[in-house]
Amino acid sequence: MTQTDPPIRPDAPILVFDSGVGGLTVLDALRRILPQAPVIYAADNAGLPYGEKSEAEIAARVAGLLGRMTERFQPRLACIACNTASTIALGMVRDVLNIPIVGTVPAIKPAAAMTRTGVIGLIGTGATIRQGYVDRLEAEFAADKTLLRLAAPGLVAAAEAKLRGEAVDPAIVAQTLSSMRAMEGGERIDTLVLACTHFPLLADELSGAFGPQVSLIDGADGIARRIASLTQGQPFGRTRPDTALFTRAEAGLSALKPALAARGLDRVEVL
Ligand code: DGL
């Protein structure tokens, strides 16, 4: 933004983007500190799960969709509330869009400050855990720690199901625990980074499985604080209900409505 940019309209939304319902965990944190901000929550359900896609495919989808949505909704800021999309496409999206973009990156830095045993577990999508972005965070903030990375794609589907009101299969959570513990040093994990925005939706199930000696950590509060700081002093005023926007109409959307409404997303639209 420069001094010649027009003033921010009070009803200009904050666009929160994810492949599915995971970004709602970021929205929850944002609501706590900026309840007055108009929001469009966008879920690329036609592309879900990102974690099983190639880097090129994710980058193309995310840049294309955010470009279209920015043109149509004129947000004041966009938040990529998805670790997979952020670790792959954040730089590219920042290069092409002329609004502030806030990304989501694995909370390795705070985890390194918290661990007492020096062994940190990190669960994310397959695409996230192989990113150079994660290697760089590890080298910068956790070089003297052990970081054990595990892809946990089953948890994405479980979190989606939970928000549709379905039961979470305990075997999926148990499998995550046993795979993590089976890694070399896994028994000593005392801090678990939830490096996928879907996973805090399963915080109760994960802490039940990992036990009270393991602290779970995610980046949602930090992201919300960053958004609040970037929009500080701006006017906020809704002129229409906050909206959840999906990229594909599908049967499961109506089952999601209570979870969306509980987060103030009173309108559901398909792009
Ligand atoms: N919520 C996304 C993340 O934070 C991933 C879910 C997916 O695989 O699409 O990485």
Side-chain angles (χ1 to χ4, degrees):
M1 296 274 162
T2 69
Q3 298 208 321
T4 54
D5 286 325
I8 303 276
R9 288 190 344 262
D11 63 350
I14 291 172
L15 177 66
V16 179
F17 176 86
D18 182 31
S19 54
V21 297
L24 293 175
T25 60
V26 175
L27 178 62
D28 287 341
L30 183 64
R31 292 294 201 203
R32 285 194 289 274
I33 60 171
L34 218 54
Q36 69 277 32
V39 165
I40 292 180
Y41 182 82
D44 181 15
N45 58 326
L48 181 80
Y50 279 4
E52 306 299 298
K53 292 188 160 46
S54 71
E55 280 70 1
E57 210 176 337
I58 294 165
R61 284 196 83 86
V62 173
L65 282 169
L66 283 174
R68 271 172 72 193
M69 291 174 184
T70 299
E71 215 171 282
R72 176 159 158 202
F73 299 105
Q74 306 283 308
R76 68 183 75 204
L77 175 150
C79 170
I80 305 181
C82 172
N83 289 263
T84 312
S86 296
T87 53
I88 292 170
L90 186 58
M92 180 193 218
V93 171
R94 282 195 173 132
D95 286 346
V96 296
L97 294 187
N98 190 25
I99 52 169
I101 310 291
V102 176
T104 310
V105 294
I108 292 173
K109 183 181 177 183
M114 274 170 67
T115 180
R116 295 286 160 260
T117 63
V119 184
I120 301 165
L122 182 148
I123 49 176
T125 66
T128 294
I129 67 163
R130 65 174 180 253
Q131 293 311 309
Y133 202 119
V134 181
D135 299 340
R136 289 192 289 280
L137 289 174
E138 179 178 356
E140 191 172 352
F141 301 114
D144 59 342
K145 317 284 184 223
T146 300
L147 182 74
L148 302 177
R149 306 182 196 183
L150 178 74
L155 295 180
V156 173
E160 291 279 333
K162 184 174 179 182
L163 281 218
R164 288 194 301 265
E166 296 164 25
V168 174
D169 179 358
I172 291 168
V173 179
Q175 171 68 49
T176 305
L177 172 69
S178 61
S179 303
M180 200 92 249
R181 291 294 191 203
M183 295 171 92
E184 198 180 332
E187 284 304 328
R188 297 177 54 234
I189 290 171
D190 66 350
T191 308
L192 183 66
V193 178
L194 308 184
C196 170
T197 52
H198 279 73
F199 297 171
L201 295 168
L202 300 172
D204 289 346
E205 290 83 354
L206 287 165
S207 39
F210 279 81
Q213 68 284 4
V214 175
S215 308
L216 309 186
I217 178 159
D218 66 73
D221 287 327
I223 298 161
R225 282 195 300 273
R226 178 80 187 131
I227 296 173
S229 127
L230 286 170
T231 57
Q232 200 171 15
Q234 295 180 1
F236 291 103
R238 282 189 185 83
T239 52
R240 56 184 221 146
D242 285 356
T243 299
L245 185 70
F246 292 85
T247 53
R248 179 169 65 198
E250 59 189 18
L253 293 190
S254 58
L256 273 182
K257 281 186 180 168
L260 298 172
R263 291 164 171 89
L265 300 168
D266 293 320
R267 193 146 86 180
V268 175
E269 283 179 21
V270 175
L271 188 68

